[in-house]
Amino acid sequence: SQQGEEDPQALSIQEGENATMNCSYKTSINNLQWYRQNSGRGLVHLILIRSNEREKHSGRLRVTLDTSKKSSSLLITASRAADTASYFCATDVYSGAGSYQLTFGKGTKLSVIP
Amino acid sequence: DSGVTQTPKHLITATGQRVTLRCSPRSGDLSVYWYQQSLDQGLQFLIQYYNGEERAKGNILERFSAQQFPDLHSELNLSSLELGDSALYFCASSLGLAGLALDEQFFGPGTRLTVL
């Protein structure tokens, strides 16, 4: 089963508006990562937030993490058409013998209309 | 450009066949990860190698195997292919410092496998 679940599944906004995507997960984590994927292409790492951090910024991106609620949000401010992509949250899940695996949600498909 | 290369870009083959996907990690990265992305299953972790040794195993079928060579490039071998194996296969790499939680991963462009 998926560790992370993004919400909403799809989001359509006008250029210049803000976009907010949420992610919920089930088990405790060391860190949570957000990735972007343009259609059919490789994923691009956006931001990593550690379990002891509550908020992190990178350019127009703002990520929050609430470990008590097991949830995270990604805010993209002043969106551009080029932000059109799918966005995934990923959490590290312990897979035994001191190792972890990255588990992805199904993603939020963002469409930014010019 | 992530610095991770994957070949081939596209692969079309028949059921029952065997294929090999190749990945070259970013310079300096010791960890290589393989993922499968399909419409119904989403992005699934298959396997991780760190400096030539298997480190973590995910939802990898017994028909699939991988290895990482001394020059750190990796190959994913898929055998007895079935229609359901059609998917995008991604390789990713990271510094992968042993014993630490997962760090930022850099993804290659993927290999699109079509099994007819």
Side-chain angles (χ1 to χ4, degrees), chain A residues 2 30-31 33 35 37 40-45 48 50 88 92 95-102 104-106, chain B residues 35 37 39-45 48 55-58 88 90 99-105 107-109 112:
Chain A
Q2 300 292 127
N30 291 306
N31 62 53
Q33 305 183 39
Y35 287 82
Q37 183 181 32
R41 302 184 68 174
L43 280 74
V44 175
H45 182 266
L48 182 154
R50 303 199 185 284
F88 296 88
D92 54 348
S95 53
S99 63
Y100 293 81
Q101 64 184 62
L102 208 55
F104 288 81
K106 296 236 170 183
Chain B
Y35 294 89
Q37 187 177 36
L39 279 174
D40 54 343
Q41 293 291 323
L43 197 63
Q44 298 281 324
F45 167 73
Q48 177 200 356
R55 182 149 182 78
K57 215 165 184 175
L88 261 173
F90 288 107
L100 297 182
L102 293 171
D103 49 1
E104 169 187 3
Q105 295 184 17
F107 280 74
R112 184 172 292 280

Side-chain angles (χ1 to χ4, degrees), chain B residues 4-43:
Chain B
V4 178
T5 59
Q6 287 186 252
T7 56
K9 270 187 155 175
H10 301 276
L11 202 46
I12 301 174
T13 189
T15 55
Q17 295 299 303
R18 173 190 165 95
V19 297
T20 297
L21 313 183
R22 183 188 165 104
C23 168
S24 291
R26 282 190 329 155
S27 176
D29 284 355
L30 298 178
S31 264
V32 169
Y33 311 80
W34 286 98
Y35 294 89
Q36 179 194 60
Q37 187 177 36
S38 61
L39 279 174
D40 54 343
Q41 293 291 323
L43 197 63

Side-chain angles (χ1 to χ4, degrees), chain A residues 2-16:
Chain A
Q2 300 292 127
Q3 159 76 328
E5 295 287 342
E6 291 90 345
D7 168 60
Q9 289 187 349
L11 182 60
S12 184
I13 59 173
Q14 296 288 329
E15 203 166 28

Side-chain angles (χ1 to χ4, degrees), chain B residues 64-78:
Chain B
F64 296 180
S65 65
Q67 53 184 327
Q68 186 179 28
F69 295 88
D71 66 353
L72 300 178
H73 91 270
S74 177
E75 291 182 355
L76 178 67
N77 301 296
L78 315 175

Side-chain angles (χ1 to χ4, degrees), chain A residues 6 18 23 33 44 46 74-77 88 107 109:
Chain A
E6 291 90 345
N18 295 344
C23 168
Q33 305 183 39
V44 175
L46 296 176
L74 170 67
L75 168 69
I76 304 174
T77 59
F88 296 88
K109 198 165 185 174

Side-chain angles (χ1 to χ4, degrees), chain A residues 40-97:
Chain A
R41 302 184 68 174
L43 280 74
V44 175
H45 182 266
L46 296 176
I47 203 161
L48 182 154
I49 186 165
R50 303 199 185 284
S51 60
N52 60 356
E53 297 174 310
R54 291 296 167 257
E55 189 171 310
K56 206 159 181 182
H57 296 255
S58 176
R60 293 183 298 112
L61 306 180
R62 173 180 166 246
V63 166
T64 62
L65 178 64
D66 186 336
T67 53
S68 66
K69 293 181 180 176
K70 291 189 171 60
S71 68
S72 173
S73 68
L74 170 67
L75 168 69
I76 304 174
T77 59
S79 63
R80 304 167 182 167
D83 295 328
T84 294
S86 290
Y87 292 81
F88 296 88
C89 71
T91 54
D92 54 348
V93 174
Y94 185 65
S95 53

